[in-house]
């Protein structure tokens, strides 16, 4: 191996170790924030969970808010890469498939639900993230419902924008109920019922 290759190998080692420690911190923060919320979970709690000092943690994430945003980005990565969209699918099929997939990642759903509710509090660093996310979802679903309307598949009198807003609210509410009573709440089934009400067979 040449010196140049040796240098490359040397760079890969520390980089891989750094990435592993960063991932360990994110996993620890995910667990802490999901169980205690952003306000209730401290950086020391995260450091303890990750098995490192708070000083070491701050080397990777300079502030608690930086850590929160990284955790939310990781949450999006998990849901998007492990459950990729199929452009050939219709809106209803995408919703049902995603709802079923979410049943296999209760920790991610718990994190989302806890932080979403907590983001309503004054000064919460995740507020903009959730506001933007809801706005994107409403816009995306409204566009899909409008397409269904133009294809004659939306029931008469159903407004695409209202249907989109209702879908977002229903889905989040169902997931919260499911977290509390997973054996009693069928998220995908209830969403299917919603689509039966707003779309034509």
């Amino acid at each position: 191996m040449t010196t140049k290759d040796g240098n490359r190998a040397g760079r890969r080692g520390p980089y891989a170790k750094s990435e592993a420690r960063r991932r360990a911190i994110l996993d620890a923060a995910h667990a802490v924030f999901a169980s205690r919320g952003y306000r209730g979970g401290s950086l020391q709690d995260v450091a303890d969970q990750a098995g490192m000092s708070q000083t070491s943690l701050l080397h990777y994430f300079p502030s608690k808010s930086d850590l929160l945003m990284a955790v939310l980005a990781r949450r999006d990565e998990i849901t998007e890469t492990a459950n990729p969209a199929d452009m050939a699918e219709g809106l209803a099929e995408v919703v049902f498939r995603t709802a079923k997939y979410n049943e296999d990642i209760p920790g991610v759903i718990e994190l989302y639900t806890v932080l979403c509710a907590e983001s309503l509090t004054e000064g919460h660093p995740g507020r903009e993230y959730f506001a933007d996310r809801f706005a994107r979802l409403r816009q995306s679903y409204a566009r899909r419902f409008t397409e269904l309307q133009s294809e004659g598949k939306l029931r008469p009198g159903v407004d695409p924008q209202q249907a989109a807003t209702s879908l977002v609210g229903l889905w989040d509410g169902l997931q919260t109920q499911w977290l509390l009573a997973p054996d009693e709440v069928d998220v995908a089934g209830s969403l299917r019922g919603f689509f039966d009400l707003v779309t034509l067979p």
Side-chain angles (χ1 to χ4, degrees):
M1 180 180 291
T2 65
T3 301
K4 183 177 180 181
D5 289 336
N7 288 339
R8 286 177 178 169
R11 285 196 298 269
R12 282 198 299 271
Y15 176 79
K17 183 177 180 180
S18 176
E19 280 298 297
R21 288 177 70 82
R22 187 176 187 277
R23 182 60 58 84
I25 294 171
L26 289 177
D27 289 343
H30 183 134
V32 169
F33 292 159
S35 63
R36 305 179 191 177
Y38 175 78
R39 302 290 194 197
S42 68
L43 286 176
Q44 188 60 57
D45 291 331
V46 176
D48 291 343
Q49 180 85 6
M52 64 178 64
S53 69
Q54 187 174 151
T55 300
S56 296
L57 185 155
L58 291 172
H59 172 73
Y60 294 90
F61 300 97
S63 71
K64 190 179 178 184
S65 60
D66 288 332
L67 179 57
L68 172 68
M69 299 314 296
V71 169
L72 290 172
R74 173 62 180 152
R75 177 260 172 204
D76 289 341
E77 179 185 337
I78 291 172
T79 56
E80 291 172 8
T81 60
N83 187 39
D86 182 345
M87 297 307 293
E89 287 181 302
L91 175 60
E93 287 72 27
V94 171
V95 168
F96 302 152
R97 177 173 55 80
T98 304
K100 295 299 292 184
Y101 169 77
N102 286 351
E103 293 178 3
D104 295 327
I105 51 171
V108 175
I109 303 307
E110 181 182 14
L111 173 78
Y112 168 86
T113 303
V114 169
L115 293 180
C116 180
E118 193 181 46
S119 71
L120 298 175
T121 58
E122 184 178 356
H124 195 285
R127 186 182 185 93
E128 183 176 354
Y129 166 89
F130 285 103
D132 289 346
R133 182 177 187 278
F134 283 132
R136 289 195 308 271
L137 286 174
R138 289 192 301 270
Q139 183 180 41
S140 175
Y141 292 155
R143 184 171 62 251
R144 299 296 292 273
F145 278 121
T146 298
E147 292 172 358
L148 290 173
Q149 186 180 56
S150 67
E151 296 167 2
K153 297 179 181 178
L154 203 63
R155 290 189 184 277
V158 174
D159 178 75
Q161 186 63 58
Q162 291 181 354
T165 302
S166 296
L167 175 58
V168 174
L170 175 63
W171 199 344
D172 273 24
L174 286 169
Q175 286 191 152
T176 299
Q177 293 181 66
W178 175 75
L179 287 170
L180 294 170
D183 295 330
E184 300 175 17
V185 178
D186 180 0
V187 176
S190 297
L191 290 170
R192 189 177 299 276
F194 170 78
F195 274 92
D196 288 341
L197 290 173
V198 300
T199 60
L200 294 168

